[in-house]
Amino acid sequence: KAGVTQTPRYLIKTRGQQVTLSCSPISGHRSVSWYQQTPGQGLQFLFEYFSETQRNKGNFPGRFSGRQFSNSRSEMNVSTLELGDSALYLCASSPSGRASTDTQYFGPGTRLTVL
Amino acid sequence: GESVGLHLPTLSVQEGDNSIINCAYSNSASDYFIWYKQESGKGPQFIIDIRSNMDKRQGQRVTVLLNKTVKHLSLQIAATQPGDSAVYFCAEKGWDTGNQFYFGTGTSLTVIP
């Protein structure tokens, strides 16, 4: 099976712009989670989507949003970019997330740089 | 002002030696644990997992030990190779956290040839 894919791999934006990142989960996986990874904060949970619904949300401002499509592909959007949004954004997929032992598999990430 | 980054624990080992990476967790409801390996510029890669009803699990050259009494997890890598150089994260989730995993800060492993 193909792994989790994320596009684009690299992005450079300026403050105030918005950005959309895309994630395609492993075939058959229905849960998609997003994380932000920075040297200062480590891996921080953004949100999780399952069956096109946000099921869980981390402690991020409303500028961070996401959605999931019927084919389980997911997008996240960051509006009004700030310098502090520069990070590696990781997507992880799991079969359903309902089983307590559902493993999450990560994509390669999108490296966002805000200038 | 100056920003302070996470202080990643570091571990340096000689090629061929065994490595032990430790992780502490705090949630008593944690019942599933994963170790990930992250190489520079890549996403975290699944290494091995363990459920809370187990104390030990072995994979290829890796062993995970779980001590629920002291809430401690360790990853042992046998015969460490240069390709093992990476940052290693433990992740845990509990029956009370849905599908949300909580990640440790990571340990940077350097293998000296």
Side-chain angles (χ1 to χ4, degrees):
Chain A
K1 280 184 178 179
V4 179
T5 58
Q6 293 186 244
T7 57
R9 292 294 312 280
Y10 303 92
L11 265 179
I12 299 175
K13 293 285 187 179
T14 56
R15 279 181 298 175
Q17 288 187 309
Q18 75 165 16
V19 66
T20 299
L21 313 181
S22 181
C23 171
S24 291
I26 292 170
S27 178
H29 285 195
R30 297 173 62 195
S31 167
V32 174
S33 296
W34 289 90
Y35 294 85
Q36 181 194 65
Q37 186 177 34
T38 61
Q41 299 295 327
L43 265 160
Q44 291 191 292
F45 174 75
L46 280 156
F47 29 64
E48 182 210 4
Y49 284 86
F50 177 78
S51 290
E52 303 177 62
T53 301
Q54 188 180 86
R55 187 161 66 175
N56 208 349
K57 188 178 189 302
N59 191 24
F60 276 81
R63 299 186 298 108
F64 292 81
S65 63
R67 60 177 176 168
Q68 186 180 35
F69 302 94
S70 58
N71 61 358
S72 294
R73 189 177 70 84
S74 178
E75 290 181 345
M76 68 163 282
N77 183 277
V78 188
S79 62
T80 320
L81 283 166
E82 300 177 358
L83 295 178
D85 297 333
S86 294
L88 180 67
Y89 289 88
L90 292 161
C91 166
S93 79
S94 61
S96 71
R98 291 186 184 280
S100 62
T101 55
D102 261 6
T103 301
Q104 286 191 350
Y105 296 92
F106 283 86
T110 294
R111 172 71 64 184
L112 172 65
T113 302
V114 182
L115 303 176
Chain B
E2 181 180 358
S3 63
V4 179
L6 273 177
H7 175 65
L8 270 186
T10 59
L11 176 65
S12 294
V13 299
Q14 290 289 140
E15 181 178 358
D17 287 352
N18 297 334
S19 303
I20 299 176
I21 300 170
N22 297 301
C23 178
Y25 64 96
S26 59
N27 186 3
S28 299
S30 296
D31 59 5
Y32 182 53
F33 306 84
I34 300 177
W35 279 101
Y36 288 96
K37 171 187 179 183
Q38 187 174 24
E39 297 174 276
S40 181
K42 298 183 178 180
Q45 175 189 355
F46 173 90
I47 301 174
I48 191 168
D49 61 356
I50 189 168
R51 303 178 187 183
S52 60
N53 61 354
M54 303 170 71
D55 297 323
K56 178 180 179 179
R57 190 159 189 230
Q58 289 184 288
Q60 187 178 12
R61 284 200 306 117
V62 294
T63 300
V64 55
L65 298 177
L66 175 63
N67 184 330
K68 295 180 287 295
T69 302
V70 295
K71 300 189 184 68
H72 184 267
L73 193 69
S74 69
L75 176 70
Q76 300 178 2
I77 305 173
T80 314
Q81 303 168 0
D84 295 327
S85 292
V87 176
Y88 290 81
F89 293 96
C90 64
E92 51 91 8
K93 72 172 175 177
W95 55 265
D96 60 343
T97 61
N99 197 32
Q100 182 174 346
F101 280 87
Y102 292 90
F103 288 80
T105 54
T107 295
S108 177
L109 174 66
T110 300
V111 180
I112 304 165

